[in-house]
Amino acid sequence: MDKKQLCNTSQDPEVRKGPWTMEEDLILINYIANHGEGVWNSLAKAAGLKRTGKSCRLRWLNYLRPDVRRGNITPEEQLLIMELHAKWGNRWSKIAKHLPGRTDNEIKNYWRTRIQKHIKQAENFQQQISNNSEINDHQASTSHVSTMAEPMETYSPPFYQGMLEPFSSIQFPTINPDQSSCCTNDNNNSINYWSMEDIWSMQLLNGD
DNA sequence: AAGGGATTCAACCGCCTTTAT
DNA sequence: TATAAAGGCGGTTGAATCCCT
């Protein structure tokens, strides 16, 4: 049988996809509390969840685990992410291992939505500087303006400095100043999640 | 207040690796 | 050693939400 078909259970009408419901979360939490993690496919069946094992594993690791921390990436964590990404690239799970309670998925999302955007802005800015310096070179054949104009082939930690939230006094100008405020993630604090504390307290109330 | 573009992030997909038989 | 099953990982998507006009 084709390996792809083996992995792809989306053809099965019995398999649920999409956002998890509170009931599903509680079932998964209760089952793992009683039986532990592992062997996700059989766990999903045994728990009575119409989900793939992969889906259960992902939900548990990224959201339901009691030790998972979500939101409010601290400046220290951000700096660490930047340094580790500069070192290892997109090895999200490896990076996540150095940030207790953070998941690879969260770090990946954080990188793509927050940090990468600033890097692109900075690259654009450097490109502008570079272009300007070329013009200046033509106008006056001195080379003293070239320090900012080096192409950024890899990201290096010093370059990240100034992008750190919430220290938004960015040391390089943003192309669109309005977007420099995109990282005030305070709004996320009020996102309409039902907290894990709620779930765990409900679980306790269930007597498990 | 409403509409629409931008942003965020949970969840899925598909590939690769590891483990079990 | 070969094969199948499960786990792990990075990339991508799409719904929900935010924000601006």
Side-chain angles (χ1 to χ4, degrees):
Chain A
M1 187 187 286
D2 189 0
K3 196 177 170 185
K4 287 180 186 174
Q5 287 177 307
L6 278 172
C7 293
N8 183 8
T9 52
S10 61
Q11 310 288 338
D12 188 347
E14 288 296 307
V15 174
R16 263 184 56 78
K17 288 164 65 176
W20 279 64
T21 65
M22 183 186 289
E23 288 75 20
E24 288 177 313
D25 282 344
L26 285 171
I27 289 170
L28 185 56
I29 288 168
N30 282 328
Y31 190 90
I32 290 176
N34 290 327
H35 301 91
E37 304 178 31
V39 199
W40 292 101
N41 279 335
S42 52
L43 183 154
K45 281 181 192 155
L49 288 163
K50 292 180 168 51
R51 295 276 182 173
T52 65
K54 275 190 174 187
S55 181
C56 292
R57 174 184 165 271
L58 202 67
R59 183 64 176 171
W60 175 254
L61 292 179
N62 286 344
Y63 193 91
L64 298 175
R65 263 188 315 156
D67 60 331
V68 72
R69 294 167 57 212
R70 297 168 59 247
N72 292 330
I73 300 267
T74 66
E76 291 77 16
E77 286 176 316
Q78 181 171 4
L79 183 59
L80 188 56
I81 290 169
M82 289 171 170
E83 288 178 351
L84 295 179
H85 186 272
K87 199 191 289 182
W88 295 324
N90 296 356
R91 302 296 306 276
W92 305 116
S93 62
K94 196 172 179 179
I95 293 170
K97 286 185 173 73
H98 289 75
L99 288 105
R102 299 295 183 186
T103 68
D104 55 350
N105 207 34
E106 182 175 26
I107 293 170
K108 176 174 59 182
N109 281 332
Y110 186 77
W111 177 268
R112 294 181 65 84
T113 59
R114 313 289 181 88
I115 300 174
Q116 202 168 50
K117 185 168 63 182
H118 280 309
I119 288 171
K120 282 190 177 156
Q121 285 180 349
E123 283 178 338
N124 289 340
F125 177 71
Q126 288 199 333
Q127 186 64 46
Q128 284 187 347
I129 297 290
S130 177
N131 291 342
N132 288 343
S133 71
E134 283 178 16
I135 294 169
N136 287 341
D137 284 347
H138 279 108
Q139 289 176 341
S141 57
T142 57
S143 60
H144 65 280
V145 292
S146 61
T147 52
M148 282 284 287
E150 306 211 344
M152 203 180 89
E153 293 173 358
T154 57
Y155 348 106
S156 58
F159 186 73
Y160 294 145
Q161 289 176 2
M163 298 181 192
L164 284 180
E165 304 162 14
F167 317 129
S168 291
S169 55
I170 295 173
Q171 291 173 358
F172 53 90
T174 54
I175 301 305
N176 179 356
D178 289 340
Q179 292 184 348
S180 65
S181 63
C182 68
C183 303
T184 56
N185 52 3
D186 293 346
N187 287 342
N188 292 342
N189 295 340
S190 60
I191 288 175
N192 217 4
Y193 295 121
W194 39 283
S195 71
M196 285 309 303
E197 289 175 2
D198 294 339
I199 298 176
W200 284 102
S201 59
M202 273 189 277
Q203 189 195 353
L204 289 173
L205 285 174
N206 284 343
D208 292 322

